[in-house]
């Protein structure tokens, strides 16, 4: 039976994949959590909203007669990735993750690695600083314990409610960003430290390069653990995998 793909999206890579599967004439749906107000336009069908945990995803896979699942979510979307692993294991569904290698420090980087957002917040205890806080709007509330800092926030959508710290500036933009622009931005707002998730990939790396060029310290949040799964790093690898996987499942 012809492949019928479910792409778990929300990243540049997922959007690139949806273009490629469209070009290849494959049947596919891309799924979004519904976190952003204006999801990027896609050339394939899309669905929006959670599935309802592992059980809901299992039902979706069965009802929609999905043949392959491609997890192209952000490396920090760990719950979705864990659910995909569990639902695919339960249903015997082929699963692949289209992901990005984490960033690693290079000469000139001044990183302090922390395991998670609470640890990142704890690392900000102390006198007032000027922080570029690149964690996404869902996590702003967790920085309430450190309201003494100025925070520069760059978000895809404006926050639904005011952040829990008085001194901040919000820039609404989804990029792409350049190192030169981010360097100028950090200089304009006199940023003296950067706090970032270790997202990997090119799209969000400009601020890390800018921090390096300015000699600024970066608090880097390590990725959450995700159980082992088949991972690839390119759209072509996903297409090759689809071509060679699951064609005898009879679904
Ligand atoms: N976390 C980040 O830093 C980040 C950055 C950029 C983009 N994103 C994108 O934003 C989305 C949400 O991220 P998150 O960190 O909130 O995820 P998460 O914590 O792993 O997911 C929480 C719940 O949201 C739903 N969900 C997540 N991704 C979904 C998808 N692609 N399609 C349908 N439902 C989805 C699932 O609900 P049910 O259990 O009800 O199925 C999941 O259990 C992801 O698609 C991710 O690719 C995240």
């Amino acid at each position: 039976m012809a492949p019928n793909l479910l792409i778990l999206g929300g990243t540049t890579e997922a959007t690139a994949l949806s273009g490629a599967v469209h070009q290849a004439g494959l049947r596919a749906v891309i799924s979004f959590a519904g976190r952003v107000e204006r999801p990027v336009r896609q050339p394939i069908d899309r669905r929006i909203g959670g599935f309802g945990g592992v059980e809901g995803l299992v039902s979706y896979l069965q009802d929609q007669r999905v043949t392959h699942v491609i997890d192209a979510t952000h490396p920090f979307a760990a719950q979705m990735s864990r659910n995909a692993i569990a639902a695919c294991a339960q249903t015997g569904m082929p699963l692949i993750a289209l992901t990005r290698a984490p960033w690693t420090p290079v000469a000139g980087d001044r990183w302090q690695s922390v395991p998670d957002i609470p640890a990142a917040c704890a690392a900000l205890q102390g006198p007032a600083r000027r922080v570029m806080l690149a964690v996404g709007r869902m996590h702003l509330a967790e920085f309430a314990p450190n309201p003494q800092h100025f925070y520069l926030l760059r978000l895809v959508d404006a926050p639904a409610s005011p952040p829990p710290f008085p001194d901040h500036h919000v820039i609404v933009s989804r990029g792409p960003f350049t190192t030169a622009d981010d360097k100028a931005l950090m200089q304009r707002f006199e940023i003296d430290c950067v706090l970032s998730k270790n997202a990997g990939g090119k799209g969000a790396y400009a601020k890390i390069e800018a921090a390096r060029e300015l000699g600024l310290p970066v608090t880097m949040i390590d990725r959450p653990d995700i159980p082992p799964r088949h991972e690839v790093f390119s759209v072509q690898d996903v297409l090759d995998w689809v071509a060679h996987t699951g064609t005898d499942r009879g679904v």
Side-chain angles (χ1 to χ4, degrees), residues 8-11 31-33 35 47 49-53 73-74 76-80 83 197:
L8 302 171
T11 57
S31 175
F32 295 110
R35 300 277 189 274
R47 66 166 300 286
F51 296 95
T73 58
H74 190 273
F76 279 73
Q79 189 58 55
M80 187 69 253
N83 290 358
K197 293 175 174 173

Side-chain angles (χ1 to χ4, degrees), residues 99-164:
T99 188
R100 337 152 170 169
W103 299 319
T104 50
V106 301
D109 280 331
R110 295 174 57 201
W111 290 11
Q112 175 192 6
S113 289
V114 293
D116 51 25
I117 295 222
C121 186
L124 283 181
Q125 280 167 13
R129 306 188 68 175
R130 298 185 65 82
V131 185
M132 182 167 181
L133 183 63
V135 294
R137 70 173 173 164
M138 311 300 290
H139 294 286
L140 297 181
E142 292 170 63
F143 289 84
N146 286 306
Q148 70 275 32
H149 306 301
F150 164 80
Y151 290 99
L152 176 61
L153 309 172
R154 185 164 58 195
L155 305 166
V156 175
D157 294 305
S161 52

